[in-house]
Structures are given as structure tokens and as C-alpha cells.
Amino acid sequence: MKESVKSLVLTLLVLCSLVQSYFLIYRLPGSDPVVKTESDYIKTENMGQESDAESMLFPSQIAIHLGEDRHTIFYPESAFYNLIYSRLKGRQFDGFQRYALDNINWNEIRSGHTGLELEFDEGIPVVLLQRVMQIVPDPLFDGETVSRILIYNTDTDDQVRVFFFSSQGDVVYEATKADLTVQDVRQQADFGKEWVPYTLENGNYIPEQPISMVEAGLNMDTFTTDQMQSSLFFDPSITRYIREKDGSEIYTDSKRSLQVRQNRNWINYTDPAAPSAGENNPGRDVLSAVDFVNEHGGWNGLFRLDQTNGSGDGQHTIVFRQYYGTGPYGSFPIVDLPSFHYSEITLNMRQGTITSYERSLIYADEGEWRKEIVELPGGDDLRERIAALKEGSSILKLYPAYFPSLTQEGLLLKPVWAVELSNGSTRILY
């Protein structure tokens, strides 16, 4: 009997020892596990801030249609933009029906009716839009990507019509059950009556008066190569260093590689052997991309989901673009230049897994060394500058933006008109 008790006690002591060893190795309070796998990364402190996808899901602009071919534009972070967008987030949209895009004269509606239009440029997946707007799930609609939302009052039957435009450019979806009244739309459109008038020409809005923006000089700092290495490699001590003829530096652990272009303060990280996590899902991919950036560099300032493009081979590209500016004038995108990659964070994914990651090492630090209100040209002056481009390609989009440059004092953001052309290039109008 005594031997049985001793054996039982000994067995319990051995089990307790094993459990205690497990917690000491894998679950030490206040720290990460001591034993890690090669798929783990080390989260570097004192880099950018964490953010969530919802804060990056907003229209690039809200166009107000006042009837009689009168329009105005509200830009992100301006008071009326925030007010309109916050109200629409509280409304419900349901009962979707699909139509061919060409069945309706949209320019006639924009010119002749009171309404508003939220523009999402390259488009936003409906499953993500449902995270910030009350869009009732619908199998007909949920798999789409939306480039704009048009809301307007009809003249004949005193009702509100709401259309969601597919980014594919061939179909449009009407929410036949929208929690909006004619008075709601009229009240929000009235915000634009005293604002800068715009004219709709060839799909673009031309302000008939100069518009004001803030030219800003920002203090800047840079992430170090060591910080990025520690963030992106399981064990930075085993990485090999290669210096290319063009001056760029490559760090690799034989599976992953980190290319650093010091002269451009820019990195390109690739992980071609990353294990696939499943099928491509645009909404889930964007959420994974946000989490990845949170853990590997973070965010410095306001970013917007700018592109989410998939391809037939399972590849998916996600681009976040940085905005700058607050107060009455709004916030505007910073132009990303071939010679100065600063404002965009780009991630490529394959079946839900990050395979490459590009971003600038530069970030704006606290404080400004310049802040001055300047005016961008409007009216005929702007039309003349557009005509002077003499490009063979058509204009896809015209918008106010910031042109970034490095000076001895820091980062200078200069207000400009940006023109995106159908050949994929961007031209700057000062």
C-alpha cells in the first residue's frame, strides 16, 4: 500500500514539474515565449503607431450636387466632409438590385439633381465597407468592389435613390431600401451652397475659384536598418549582408530578403517562400496587411486604403497612401514619386500571406518648421495649365495633393494639382 502511495505521489510530482517547465519556457509572465518558430517575427518598439482598418476606409472626396450643373467638393478631415460621412455611416442600405451601367445617363443625374457622391477611386471591397457603413449582407452584392456611391433626390416621385458603382465599370447596384429621406439629402447638400463652386468637365471637377491649402515643413526622422532587421527577421544575427553595385544593401537569411536603398530611404522586403494561408479574400487580405504593418514599422500619420487589386494567378496588391492636413481645408494625399517613395505602403499577397512589403524609412516627427496658407489656381487659369500638358493620354483624375521633397530643414509638403493619366503616369501642376 505504501509503495502505491509513493508511486502516485512521485507521478504527481513529475507531472507538476513538467507543467511548471512548460510555463517557464513558453508562458513566462510578462514576456513572449522563449521558444519561437521561424515564422515568428520580433516586434520592434518605438517605431510607428498601431492602427485599424476602419480608420483607413474613407472616400477620397465627397462631391455635392446642387442641381442646375452646380457642384462643390469636400475633402477628408474637413468639417462638412466629416459631418456628412458620419451621418451616412448611421444609415442602413438594403434591397440591392443590379443594372447595366450604360442604361442610365449619370452625367445628367449629377448635373440636374440634388445629391451627393462618395468617391473611392480604385475601389473598396463591400465586405470592408460593411465595417464602416450599415450595408445589409446580400449574396448578389457582397463580392463586389465599390468605386463610388451616388445618392440623389428624384424630381418626380419625391424619393431618394442610392447607387453603388462597381469598380469593374460595367454594372451598378441600387439599394432600393435606403434609410434616407429627401430632406436628409437636401440638408446635407445645402452644406455646399456657400462653398467653392466646381464645374464638372469630362468626368473631373474644376474649381471656379482658387482653393486654399497649407504648405507645411515637417520635422523628420528615419527608421534604422537595425530596427527593420529586428522587426522582419526571426534572428537578425544570422542574416547575411550583400552590397549591390548600385549602392543598395541586401540582408537575407536565405529565405527572406530585405533590400535597403539608403539614397532613397526606402526598403523592399520579400518572403517568396511564405506558406499560403488559404484562398485570396480581398477583405481578409486587407485586414492581414494592416496587422502586418502594425507589427513591422507601424503608421505615422493618416493613411487611406488606396488600392486593392487582385489577379488571376492568386496575387493581390494592397496600397495604403498617406494624407496630410487638418482644419477647415481638409486633408490631401501625398504624391508618391519614382525618385522619392515616401507616401505609399505597398504589400503583395499570395493566398492570404504577405510575400513582399515596401515602404519609406522616413517619417514625420513632431513639430513643424513651416506652415503657410497658399492658393492653388482654379477656373480658366487651371484649365490653361491642364491644356498645356499636351499629353496623348486622357485625364482620369484631377485632384489637389502634396508634392514631397527633402530639404536641409526637413520634409517639405508643397500643394499642387495632380493629374492622373490613362497611361498610368501622374503629372504635377504647380
Side-chain angles (χ1 to χ4, degrees):
M1 181 69 179
K2 290 183 179 180
E3 293 299 324
S4 298
V5 172
K6 288 181 180 179
S7 298
L8 179 61
V9 171
L10 182 60
T11 301
L12 290 174
L13 289 173
V14 170
L15 289 174
C16 289
S17 178
L18 290 173
V19 171
Q20 185 180 31
S21 299
Y22 171 83
F23 279 103
L24 283 172
I25 296 174
Y26 291 93
R27 292 290 186 272
L28 188 61
S31 67
D32 290 332
V34 174
V35 175
K36 292 177 177 287
T37 67
E38 289 191 6
S39 61
D40 290 332
Y41 295 90
I42 302 172
K43 183 175 178 181
T44 305
E45 301 298 332
N46 301 321
M47 294 183 75
Q49 299 296 315
E50 291 190 3
S51 189
D52 53 50
E54 287 78 2
S55 66
M56 305 178 201
L57 307 177
F58 56 90
S60 60
Q61 63 183 34
I62 297 178
I64 302 298
H65 306 305
L66 299 167
E68 300 178 350
D69 204 17
R70 296 176 300 135
H71 314 269
T72 195
I73 301 292
F74 293 134
Y75 298 103
E77 296 298 297
S78 63
F80 288 138
Y81 173 103
N82 289 339
L83 181 58
I84 292 172
Y85 193 37
S86 64
R87 288 185 177 183
L88 291 178
K89 287 179 179 179
R91 303 298 185 176
Q92 183 170 293
F93 303 92
D94 193 4
F96 292 95
Q97 295 184 5
R98 182 168 59 190
Y99 308 102
L101 183 71
D102 295 336
N103 287 349
I104 301 175
N105 188 331
W106 301 106
N107 284 335
E108 184 178 285
I109 290 174
R110 294 184 179 99
S111 298
H113 294 263
T114 300
L116 50 143
E117 193 164 6
L118 285 65
E119 301 192 13
F120 292 96
D121 298 337
E122 298 290 333
I124 177 174
V126 170
V127 293
L128 289 178
L129 198 56
Q130 288 169 336
R131 299 177 72 93
V132 292
M133 298 182 71
Q134 297 186 39
I135 298 173
V136 176
D138 188 314
L140 178 70
F141 185 49
D142 289 351
E144 275 288 356
T145 298
V146 171
S147 61
R148 62 181 65 223
I149 303 173
L150 175 62
I151 303 169
Y152 69 93
N153 290 339
T154 61
D155 294 332
T156 54
D157 50 6
D158 197 36
Q159 81 175 104
V160 178
R161 300 194 73 177
V162 182
F163 290 92
F164 293 74
F165 290 71
S166 169
S167 62
Q168 299 299 317
D170 55 349
V171 297
V172 63
Y173 297 81
E174 181 176 13
T176 59
K177 299 177 183 178
D179 184 21
L180 284 165
T181 67
V182 170
Q183 185 58 34
D184 290 332
V185 177
R186 185 178 297 119
Q187 185 182 64
Q188 294 183 52
D190 282 347
F191 294 145
K193 282 188 173 180
E194 304 302 323
W195 213 247
V196 176
Y198 283 68
T199 301
L200 180 58
E201 298 180 5
N202 300 318
N204 289 291
Y205 295 92
I206 306 292
E208 296 303 333
Q209 303 170 5
I211 67 169
S212 298
M213 290 177 62
V214 176
E215 181 171 301
L218 308 177
N219 295 330
M220 54 159 284
D221 205 341
T222 58
F223 297 131
T224 66
T225 301
D226 287 344
Q227 282 180 302
M228 297 310 302
Q229 274 189 275
S230 296
S231 173
L232 291 166
F233 289 98
F234 165 69
D235 184 358
S237 66
I238 65 173
T239 59
R240 293 185 296 113
Y241 170 79
I242 304 170
R243 186 172 184 84
E244 297 288 274
K245 292 181 179 180
D246 62 0
S248 63
E249 302 168 344
I250 296 178
Y251 300 84
T252 179
D253 62 359
S254 76
K255 294 182 179 180
R256 311 174 182 93
S257 68
L258 173 66
Q259 183 181 30
V260 182
R261 295 184 181 272
Q262 297 288 3
N263 59 334
R264 297 184 181 180
N265 294 294
W266 169 81
I267 65 160
N268 182 6
Y269 167 79
T270 58
D271 188 4
S276 300
E279 296 182 358
N280 274 352
N281 180 298
R284 188 164 58 241
D285 283 356
V286 170
L287 299 179
S288 296
V290 172
D291 288 341
F292 187 91
V293 177
N294 280 340
E295 297 175 3
H296 306 102
W299 313 86
N300 296 90
L302 176 66
F303 282 81
R304 174 180 171 274
L305 176 63
D306 192 62
Q307 294 181 35
T308 172
N309 300 323
S311 61
D313 60 358
Q315 298 291 330
H316 189 195
T317 300
I318 299 170
V319 179
F320 301 95
R321 180 183 283 199
Q322 188 172 7
Y323 277 60
Y324 174 80
T326 56
Y329 308 113
S331 186
F332 304 90
I334 302 173
V335 177
D336 193 72
L337 307 170
S339 59
F340 183 27
H341 285 295
Y342 168 71
S343 64
E344 290 185 353
I345 295 178
T346 302
L347 300 99
N348 288 309
M349 308 188 73
R350 184 181 63 249
Q351 296 179 342
T353 302
I354 308 294
T355 58
S356 73
Y357 172 45
E358 296 184 47
R359 67 174 298 158
S360 174
L361 293 172
I362 297 174
Y363 62 92
D365 204 355
E366 294 183 2
E368 300 166 334
W369 48 268
R370 179 180 177 83
K371 196 169 186 179
E372 178 183 351
I373 297 175
V374 299
E375 289 189 338
L376 288 181
D380 290 339
D381 189 0
L382 177 56
R383 291 184 178 91
E384 291 174 2
R385 300 185 190 205
I386 294 174
L389 285 175
K390 296 180 180 179
E391 295 281 352
S393 300
S394 60
I395 295 176
L396 293 181
K397 187 178 181 183
L398 169 75
Y399 57 96
Y402 281 107
F403 185 92
S405 61
L406 293 178
T407 70
Q408 292 183 347
E409 292 84 1
L411 180 66
L412 177 64
L413 298 179
K414 183 178 179 63
V416 296
W417 282 107
V419 180
E420 292 184 5
L421 303 174
S422 58
N423 63 8
S425 62
T426 299
R427 297 290 182 267
I428 302 300
L429 307 178
Y430 295 95

